[in-house]
Amino acid sequence: MTTTPMPAFPTGFRWGVSTSAYQIEGAATADGRGPSIWDTFAHTPGRIADHSTGDVTCDHYHRHREDVALMAGLGISAYRFSIAWPRVQPRGTGAANPAGLDFYDRLVDDLLAAGIDPVATLFHWDLPQPLEETGGWLNRDTADRFAEYADLTAARLGDRVKLWITLNEPFVHLSLGHATGVHAPGRFLLLDAFPVAHHQLLGHGLAVSALRARSTSPVAIANNYSPVVRYGDTDADRAAALAYDALHNRLFTDPLLGQGYPPGFDPAVVRDGDLDVIAAPIDVLGVNYYNPTGVRAPEQDSPLPFEVVPLDGYPRTAFDWPVVPDGLRDLLVGLRDRYGDALPEIQITESGCAYDDAPDADGRVHDPERIAYLDGHLRAVRAAIDEGVDVTGYFVWSLLDNWEWAEGFTKRFGLVHVDFDSQVRTPKSSYAWYRDQIVRR
Ligand code: BGC
């Protein structure tokens, strides 16, 4: 880690933390919440590394006041959380469940009272299970259902949420959820999963207009990006790198920014007018970044046009992900170069790392690797700003150690350690470090 002081950030830069509903809320059946695909998946034997579920996780649903106090202690100006669709519409259709919305109403008011902007994501992968039973995102109708849910939510919270985010990482929901089956709903469709990409995008576009009808706050989507590092120098390796880049980095962003689908990735389910709906202007592009991806040509009999290979030569997190802060600078500059004037303002909606953090004999949790990680990535953002990229915010993933999807409780991403038996929260040394970065602004 460099010892030179962190450079200044522009006035008004948004400092935040991110979480998502299923990963922290628990209270799986409280106040009329219906089941989501993640409840079903987590309760299916063999799906989750430690056989855990999100039934309780951080119990944030009952402890949100304590968690907002932790945020206030950090001095953040914004909190990105997600709203659980099955709390708002337990069956994925029909009238809103007022008790489900009441929770977010309280959360939003508590945030505002603490001087923190509520930033709400509508879909962080927890589709109501009844919608999955009619095809989920493979079914075009789910896009309309999503817009209806957006409307109901904005009718209640639209006067106070300061930034709306429609979808979180539609690429991950496509690839891990529907192509390889590692995440809920556990479908293994490989390239036949493409309708899921189009229907999520269509749902996004329809939700943008539903949100605008109810709220004057800006609207965004949070995509995740991974710069491609090509291994090998053959024409086949080059083609593989281009294919992976199109799939991971362009499949969602090209159509969102009015450029249609990248060549070779046009889902057959597109209807006249859909691309216009999808290209409805957004105010902010949310960028989630964790690491670049190594890619080379696949073996002859592979069903995919590329092979992903581990990147050598970098420190690694507990997830075995390489730590490459410069990748974030490259990504931001690359987005600007690729999309030019079509690119809206960017906020980094997720950036963070998992390490095996545990309290020491004094009960303190030291996580110097996370401090080094965040330090490097913040400097990378600053370097991109210096190169003229319009980046206006940074949200650390995550406030709390939480339930990390298929990895259960085995991966800790928090600035705050959580003992999942006692629910005791212990700020780590990275919490104090991040607070100091914010205070110095
Ligand atoms: C997701 C988070 C997840 C994080 C770390 C992102 O893909 O949006 O929900 O916890 O990465 O894996």
Side-chain angles (χ1 to χ4, degrees), residues 44 185 241 353:
T44 305
C353 49

Side-chain angles (χ1 to χ4, degrees), residues 23 124-125 168-169 290 319 321 350 397 404-405 413:
Q23 294 181 272
H124 203 122
W125 307 343
N168 178 69
E169 300 190 353
Y290 289 92
F319 230 131
W321 294 348
E350 287 183 27
W397 184 272
E404 175 53 35
W405 307 115
F413 275 90

Side-chain angles (χ1 to χ4, degrees), residues 29-361:
T29 56
D31 299 327
R33 179 185 179 277
S36 80
I37 56 173
W38 270 99
D39 296 276
T40 307
F41 191 77
H43 281 271
T44 305
R47 296 299 206 171
I48 308 301
D50 60 0
H51 315 290
S52 61
T53 72
D55 285 1
V56 178
T57 182
C58 306
D59 196 29
H60 170 78
Y61 192 81
H62 297 114
R63 296 167 194 266
H64 80 272
R65 290 233 152 85
E66 183 184 351
D67 294 336
V68 171
L70 284 164
M71 295 177 217
L74 265 177
I76 52 172
S77 51
Y79 171 50
R80 174 179 175 233
F81 59 99
S82 82
I83 293 172
W85 187 347
R87 288 197 196 282
V88 177
Q89 288 180 298
R91 300 198 52 76
T93 58
N97 166 35
L101 278 166
D102 285 350
F103 169 67
Y104 298 106
D105 209 276
R106 292 193 292 274
L107 175 64
V108 161
D109 282 347
D110 289 346
L111 289 167
L112 291 170
I116 299 169
D117 285 350
V119 174
T121 304
L122 289 173
F123 183 68
H124 203 122
W125 307 343
D126 45 359
L127 189 78
Q129 179 63 33
L131 292 185
E132 186 61 25
E133 278 147 28
T134 57
W137 288 108
L138 288 162
N139 181 351
R140 187 180 170 95
D141 184 58
T142 297
D144 291 309
R145 300 284 67 76
F146 182 62
E148 183 180 83
Y149 152 62
D151 170 67
L152 294 171
T153 306
R156 183 74 175 272
L157 305 174
D159 55 336
R160 285 158 295 149
V161 164
K162 300 297 183 200
L163 173 65
W164 292 102
I165 297 177
T166 54
L167 307 176
N168 178 69
E169 300 190 353
F171 171 72
V172 173
H173 197 51
L174 166 76
S175 57
L176 296 189
H178 296 81
T180 61
V182 175
H183 278 186
R187 294 187 190 255
F188 188 82
L189 297 171
L190 297 177
L191 299 181
D192 290 337
F194 274 127
V196 170
H198 185 63
H199 296 148
Q200 285 186 93
L201 279 171
L202 191 60
H204 156 84
L206 294 168
V208 169
S209 64
L211 292 168
R212 296 222 191 273
R214 295 280 191 187
S215 172
T216 55
S217 295
V219 179
I221 186 170
N223 280 327
N224 79 316
Y225 296 94
S226 183
V228 174
V229 178
R230 175 166 48 81
Y231 277 53
D233 210 17
T234 65
D235 287 349
D237 292 320
R238 262 183 268 282
L242 284 175
Y244 188 85
D245 187 45
L247 183 61
H248 195 142
N249 297 316
R250 295 178 52 198
L251 178 64
F252 293 92
T253 311
D254 282 13
L256 279 166
L257 300 183
Q259 306 192 356
Y261 284 104
F265 288 92
D266 205 343
V269 293
V270 181
R271 294 190 193 164
D272 280 355
D274 285 1
L275 289 173
D276 293 334
V277 173
I278 290 168
I282 51 174
D283 305 293
V284 174
L285 179 67
V287 167
N288 295 0
Y289 169 77
Y290 289 92
N291 53 262
T293 303
V295 175
R296 70 178 170 211
E299 302 288 330
Q300 291 280 320
D301 56 353
S302 169
L304 297 174
F306 51 78
E307 183 187 334
V308 170
V309 285
L311 277 189
D312 300 328
Y314 295 100
R316 310 192 87 80
T317 71
F319 230 131
D320 210 26
W321 294 348
V323 179
V324 191
D326 284 349
L328 179 53
R329 189 212 69 95
D330 296 348
L331 159 63
L332 294 168
V333 170
L335 282 169
R336 194 269 317 275
D337 292 349
R338 179 173 278 165
Y339 297 109
D341 290 344
L343 187 70
E345 162 191 337
I346 288 176
Q347 294 188 16
I348 310 301
T349 33
E350 287 183 27
S351 171
C353 49
Y355 289 104
D356 296 328
D357 312 310
D360 65 14

Side-chain angles (χ1 to χ4, degrees), residues 423-439:
Q423 292 298 340
V424 168
R425 275 93 161 121
T426 307
K428 304 177 188 177
S429 41
S430 58
Y431 174 99
W433 178 87
Y434 192 46
R435 180 195 59 210
D436 291 347
Q437 303 313 306
I438 299 170
V439 165

Side-chain angles (χ1 to χ4, degrees), residues 14-18 76-80 394-396 415 434 438:
R14 191 171 241 171
W15 297 91
V17 294
S18 272
I76 52 172
S77 51
Y79 171 50
R80 174 179 175 233
Y394 181 88
F395 293 74
V396 173
L415 296 172
Y434 192 46
I438 299 170

